[in-house]
Amino acid sequence: HMKKRLLSWLLAVVVLLGVFPLTAVATDHEGQVRVIVENGTYAKADGAAWDGVLVDKWVNLSAGSTMMTCVVDALGSYTQTGAEADYITEINGLKAGDGGAMSGWMGTLNDFFTGAGFGSYTVANGKLGSGDEIHMMYTCSWGADLGNDWSNTDRTLSALSFDQGELS
């Protein structure tokens, strides 16, 4: 009699669990942006101060956040030069010019190279928001080695597809 009651109870629990979809426990990054700072173009073996990924972290947004303040926050105790002037020329000892005459720091917001300084992309103007990804990268050829060629004025897309959300 006790076994039947236990079996009934377990069956009821299984049925109830089936009614409610199980959601994966994922880290919610509401109110945060991901900042990645890396040098994948100028090897330490060739004279770079460092190479690889220096920073990959989520930082908190505030009403006054800009892409630049987020980069500075993510860098923490690593050095940087130029953020206050909205153009970073050095991160942790790796300077513009170290990797040749066309070298320096460039960045993307959600995989698109920015057309203005990082200070122009703000929470206040809606150009920066939760879940965005800021990627600072070192280039040795004005971005051509990162997939951005300044001399190419063709702005058309060869293809675009998506299955969720809204394109804006």
Side-chain angles (χ1 to χ4, degrees):
H1 197 54
M2 187 66 143
K3 283 184 182 179
K4 276 188 173 180
R5 192 175 288 167
L6 182 61
L7 190 58
S8 300
W9 184 82
L10 285 172
L11 191 58
V13 168
V14 168
V15 169
L16 280 175
L17 286 176
V19 171
F20 301 105
L22 296 174
T23 56
V25 179
T27 307
D28 185 6
H29 292 289
E30 186 63 33
Q32 294 184 314
V33 295
R34 181 180 181 195
V35 178
I36 302 166
V37 178
E38 81 174 304
N39 167 23
T41 57
Y42 182 36
K44 195 169 178 180
D46 294 332
W50 57 271
D51 60 18
V53 176
L54 182 69
V55 170
D56 184 348
K57 66 167 59 170
W58 289 89
V59 297
N60 294 327
L61 288 173
S62 69
S65 292
T66 68
M67 280 179 66
M68 191 61 79
T69 62
C70 291
V71 169
V72 171
D73 289 350
L75 286 172
S77 62
Y78 291 118
T79 63
Q80 62 78 21
T81 304
E84 67 288 344
D86 204 30
Y87 185 73
I88 290 181
T89 58
E90 172 270 333
I91 294 177
N92 199 37
L94 182 54
K95 300 175 186 153
D98 286 354
M102 299 184 292
S103 67
W105 289 99
M106 293 181 71
T108 59
L109 176 60
N110 300 323
D111 295 326
F112 285 92
F113 284 92
T114 58
F118 278 18
S120 302
Y121 298 84
T122 71
V123 169
N125 68 19
K127 293 182 180 181
L128 183 66
S130 292
D132 283 350
E133 182 177 289
I134 301 165
H135 198 163
M136 287 290 296
M137 296 167 281
Y138 194 78
T139 177
C140 291
S141 59
W142 287 333
D145 51 356
L146 304 174
N148 185 41
D149 184 354
W150 288 104
S151 64
N152 182 353
T153 58
D154 180 4
R155 299 291 181 239
T156 60
L157 293 174
S158 60
L160 175 67
S161 65
F162 60 98
D163 60 3
Q164 291 183 347
E166 179 181 311
L167 182 63
S168 62

